[in-house]
Amino acid sequence: MLKVDNLKKYFPVERGVFRRVVDYVRAVDGISFEIKKGEVFALVGESGCGKTTTAKLIVGLFEPTDGKVFFHGKDISLLKRKELARKIQIIFQDPFASLNPRLTIGTIVGEAVKHRLEATDEKVKTKKIKKETRELLNRVGLPVNILNEYPHQFSGGQRQRIGIARALAMQPELIVADEPVSSLDISVQAQILNLLLDLRDSLELSYLLIAHDLNVVRFLADRVAVMYQGKIVERGSIRNVYEDPRHSYTKKLLEAIPTLETETIK
Amino acid sequence: MLEYIVRRLLFMIPLLLGITIITFVVVHLSPGGPADMLTGLSPKVSAEAKARLHSLYGLDKPLHVQYWLWLSRLVRFDFGRSFKDGRLVIIKILERLPATLLLNVLSLLLIFFIALPIGIISAVRQDSFFDKGMTVFVFLGFSVPAFWLALLLMVLFGVVLGWLPISGMHSVNFPYFSFWGKLWDIIKHLILPVFVSAFGGLAYLSRYSRTSMLEVLRQDYIRTARAKGLSEKKVIYRHALRNALIPIVTLLGLSLPALIGGGFIFETIFAWPGMGRLGYQAIMARDYPVIMGVGVIAALLTLLGNLIADITYAFIDPRIRYR
């Protein structure tokens, strides 16, 4: 369904009075992978390895330096912003900063619904938007009577649900989840992860999961690719990578997973 | 909300008292008194004559008694009479108000309608040719003193080219003009003062709105709006602009007193018959009741302006609720 082909993103490093480009940061340096329908594909790696840049390239928030992204065989750089938004949506890491503080929940979610619905009869449309917005809120486990409330009135977990409802409003086929739970409390993380799994089954979604927490990846993903300094260094099914890591970086990552086993302190 | 407003209004009372006490003391501390000014600093005027004037104005009493008398009149909305011509202070102020309002409302409108778009376009097209050009303009606006610019423009348009009048609000033969003639006459008199008084503000507000807009454009929720697939126009005007306007509302509230207080130096240069010039003349003549009258009104407007800005905040930013 999604095919990423030799994708590159270099950021220029400028120096001096005339801002001469002296070097490039190779944030994403020639990565390729595919995601099949209904699959959860995870990109893992430490911060700064280029995971989030990859996510932004796929949803069109950045232009790639080189390489292409295909969705159902179509080059996404040829799609209009709205066309792309209807196919691929993104859930952001920080549920506090990513919701406009001056808009109501009804507007944040409803605006996306409205944007998707083509212009029809205004009255019918307004009713339809409200109805769909309520359905979306219900789907992500939020009360439906919050249309006139503002983001600051909600907790982190609730806000992330709002972010998910907002993404679902465009009825995408693929959702890029950029660290969807890393800024949430552990207790809330599990709820959001379960919600993501439920949604995948009921709406036949595919996910590109961006994460650094290998426990989250194991819970959610089918296949995983390990990124290191802009390149994919290892990939495979969850089982293969977790039980038989080949690359030394992957081994280090796996060793760093906190577990409940404790060492006796002498 | 209502409780909040009432409480804020009550807090204004001690503030106003403090402001009037300080103004009163400072005004009376400045060398020379109304008697000296009235008698033209003439050495021939005897000490007894001056003493008679002093007792006439009540200036022979101790300062705190004078303040008390002034204050007890003020609470009855009696601003007293001018020492200079014996007319009621409130009437003198009301006479000057329309001229100042006209000038400042026009200049404020000009500032907002020009500076806001400049700032927003500069932010949206950061580092473009337009943005850089505007940076130069802003630099000029900040560094050129208004009185100097006023004099230069007066020389150019008033003397060299002779297109515009250089001072006052009306021509000498104003009463003989037709309605349209009068209107055109006032417009001609307004062009220079409005432009000069708007010039500095233009620079300030355009830079301010640029910064504010840039700040908002960097926010995550703008990225969210883009991810929704909204057009860039909707992202900027619907999501970014509304948030960027919040700090600008404060500026609007703070510019309210200037709207009526008028600029002392500015109005004096253009001989504009407004509040600023009235205050300036009163200070020069040590006309205490007029100085205090202008001062009280300016202080009251400043406090009200702040309050209005705070209240508007609550309306445009849902995160703020006053208690």
Side-chain angles (χ1 to χ4, degrees):
Chain A
M1 183 166 74
L2 182 88
K3 186 165 182 280
V4 174
D5 185 24
N6 198 27
L7 197 62
K8 285 180 188 168
K9 179 69 187 177
Y10 294 175
F11 293 104
V13 179
E14 294 169 339
R15 285 275 158 72
V17 185
F18 301 105
R19 301 223 197 129
R20 221 154 37 85
V21 176
V22 290
D23 200 3
Y24 290 94
V25 174
R26 293 170 170 76
V28 176
D29 199 8
I31 63 167
S32 306
F33 60 85
E34 267 183 69
I35 301 176
K36 296 185 206 97
K37 184 147 185 66
E39 185 183 39
V40 179
F41 184 82
L43 269 181
V44 298
E46 62 194 356
S47 50
C49 73
K51 307 172 292 203
T52 297
T53 308
T54 309
K56 286 185 178 174
L57 286 168
I58 290 170
V59 295
L61 289 170
F62 279 157
E63 297 271 323
T65 310
D66 194 19
K68 290 221 155 77
V69 180
F70 298 96
F71 193 77
H72 287 307
K74 267 190 213 154
D75 184 349
I76 64 156
S77 64
L78 302 175
L79 294 175
K80 289 198 185 102
R81 190 190 264 185
K82 186 178 167 184
E83 290 171 340
L84 181 61
R86 288 222 43 193
K87 295 182 165 73
I88 308 176
Q89 269 299 317
I90 182 164
I91 300 168
F92 293 106
Q93 175 173 10
D94 185 348
F96 291 92
S98 57
L99 299 178
N100 192 333
R102 294 203 36 221
L103 299 181
T104 59
I105 307 308
T107 311
I108 289 171
V109 180
E111 183 185 47
V113 177
K114 186 179 170 188
H115 190 52
R116 175 169 52 78
L117 296 170
E118 296 300 331
T120 46
D121 182 23
E122 250 341 279
K123 254 189 180 168
V124 181
K125 206 172 155 190
T126 318
K127 256 191 182 168
K128 213 170 164 189
I129 291 168
K130 271 207 169 159
K131 188 168 158 264
E132 273 201 42
T133 307
R134 289 210 182 90
E135 282 168 8
L136 283 164
L137 292 175
N138 188 35
R139 200 176 263 288
V140 297
L142 287 168
V144 293
N145 56 352
I146 58 168
L147 292 185
N148 292 321
E149 288 175 37
Y150 289 93
H152 67 272
Q153 293 164 289
F154 296 92
S155 68
Q158 288 172 318
R159 285 172 148 238
Q160 198 58 298
R161 286 173 196 268
I162 294 165
I164 293 170
R166 192 227 90 226
L168 293 178
M170 293 303 277
Q171 298 182 341
E173 293 174 54
L174 173 74
I175 286 185
V176 177
D178 182 10
E179 303 271 12
V181 296
S182 64
S183 56
L184 303 176
D185 289 349
I186 295 284
S187 57
V188 182
Q189 286 192 1
Q191 297 171 8
I192 297 291
L193 291 174
N194 280 320
L195 173 67
L196 288 174
L197 277 184
D198 289 348
L199 290 172
R200 181 189 67 165
D201 296 338
S202 57
L203 297 173
E204 297 177 333
L205 292 170
S206 313
Y207 290 120
L208 170 61
L209 174 70
I210 311 280
H212 65 271
D213 184 337
L214 291 177
N215 283 326
V216 168
V217 171
R218 177 151 54 188
F219 180 78
L220 210 59
D222 305 313
R223 284 193 304 139
V224 61
V226 181
M227 260 185 102
Y228 182 62
Q229 292 188 346
K231 292 190 166 83
I232 291 180
V233 294
E234 183 157 1
R235 71 178 81 206
S237 68
I238 287 288
R239 202 196 218 164
N240 283 346
V241 172
Y242 275 61
E243 281 169 15
D244 185 21
R246 297 290 161 90
H247 196 272
S248 59
Y249 177 69
T250 316
K251 286 177 188 163
K252 269 193 208 157
L253 266 184
L254 287 167
E255 280 163 17
I257 298 179
T259 57
L260 283 175
E261 290 162 36
T262 50
E263 284 176 50
T264 16
I265 300 159
K266 284 173 190 169
Chain B
M1 190 67 185
L2 192 69
E3 281 169 46
Y4 170 78
I5 295 173
V6 171
R7 198 167 51 234
R8 279 285 297 265
L9 286 172
L10 286 178
F11 269 127
M12 274 186 187
I13 295 170
L15 264 172
L16 265 178
L17 273 180
I19 294 170
T20 55
I21 289 173
I22 292 171
T23 321
F24 200 84
V25 171
V26 169
V27 163
H28 282 80
L29 276 178
S30 57
D36 304 314
M37 299 298 162
L38 271 178
T39 52
L41 297 170
S42 161
K44 288 181 189 154
V45 179
S46 65
E48 296 95 78
K50 278 189 186 175
R52 269 211 305 282
L53 275 173
H54 274 223
S55 75
L56 175 70
Y57 293 144
L59 297 172
D60 49 349
K61 300 192 182 76
L63 203 55
H64 63 273
V65 179
Q66 286 185 43
Y67 177 74
W68 181 249
L69 285 173
W70 176 81
L71 192 67
S72 57
R73 281 200 306 270
L74 185 74
V75 292
R76 283 172 273 141
F77 300 103
D78 177 6
F79 284 89
R81 284 174 186 276
S82 163
F83 287 169
K84 222 169 116 194
D85 52 16
R87 299 176 57 218
L88 284 172
V89 171
I90 191 75
I91 301 280
K92 288 187 78 131
I93 289 174
L94 287 178
E95 270 174 8
R96 299 296 190 106
L97 208 54
T100 294
L101 270 179
L102 179 66
L103 176 61
N104 289 309
V105 168
L106 282 177
S107 122
L108 199 71
L109 286 178
L110 193 71
I111 290 175
F112 269 81
F113 281 102
I114 295 180
L116 275 183
I118 288 179
I120 288 153
I121 295 169
S122 293
V124 173
R125 300 192 194 146
Q126 197 187 359
D127 293 330
S128 66
F129 183 74
F130 178 84
D131 183 29
K132 288 189 173 132
M134 281 305 134
T135 308
V136 174
F137 162 76
V138 165
F139 180 70
L140 278 177
F142 273 133
S143 36
V144 173
F147 72 90
W148 183 72
L149 181 69
L151 291 174
L152 282 188
L153 291 177
M154 280 157 87
V155 170
L156 179 64
F157 290 104
V159 182
V160 179
L161 294 171
W163 291 351
L164 296 170
I166 57 168
S167 71
M169 196 173 162
H170 312 286
S171 302
V172 185
N173 42 357
F174 183 76
Y176 306 108
F177 290 159
S178 65
F179 173 76
W180 296 109
K182 283 180 179 170
L183 191 70
W184 176 236
D185 190 51
I186 293 183
I187 290 174
K188 276 204 295 191
H189 280 85
L190 272 167
I191 293 175
L192 281 183
V194 166
F195 177 77
V196 173
S197 77
F199 191 68
L202 269 179
Y204 185 72
L205 192 79
S206 64
R207 188 92 315 206
Y208 198 87
S209 51
R210 177 182 181 269
T211 315
S212 174
M213 191 72 180
L214 277 178
E215 170 92 25
V216 170
L217 283 175
R218 272 198 295 271
Q219 298 293 319
D220 282 3
Y221 55 79
I222 296 302
R223 199 180 55 190
T224 309
R226 290 212 174 99
K228 280 182 189 170
L230 296 178
S231 65
E232 200 59 22
K233 214 165 130 195
K234 269 195 184 153
V235 172
I236 287 165
Y237 292 104
R238 189 185 176 90
H239 288 258
L241 187 59
R242 283 208 212 171
N243 284 288
L245 284 179
I246 295 177
I248 291 166
V249 169
T250 331
L251 273 190
L252 191 63
L254 293 178
S255 55
L256 197 70
L259 203 64
I260 298 177
F264 275 31
I265 297 172
F266 182 76
E267 287 191 355
T268 307
I269 289 181
F270 280 106
W272 192 258
M275 289 270 285
R277 188 144 160 264
L278 178 69
Y280 176 80
Q281 287 166 339
I283 290 171
M284 284 312 175
R286 303 287 184 274
D287 194 346
Y288 299 153
V290 176
I291 302 176
M292 290 307 294
V294 172
V296 166
I297 287 175
L300 194 66
L301 287 173
T302 310
L303 296 177
L304 280 176
N306 283 338
L307 179 61
I308 290 171
D310 285 349
I311 294 170
T312 346
Y313 258 179
F315 276 107
I316 58 177
D317 190 341
R319 284 169 300 181
I320 297 171
R321 283 289 173 265
Y322 297 115
R323 236 163 274 137

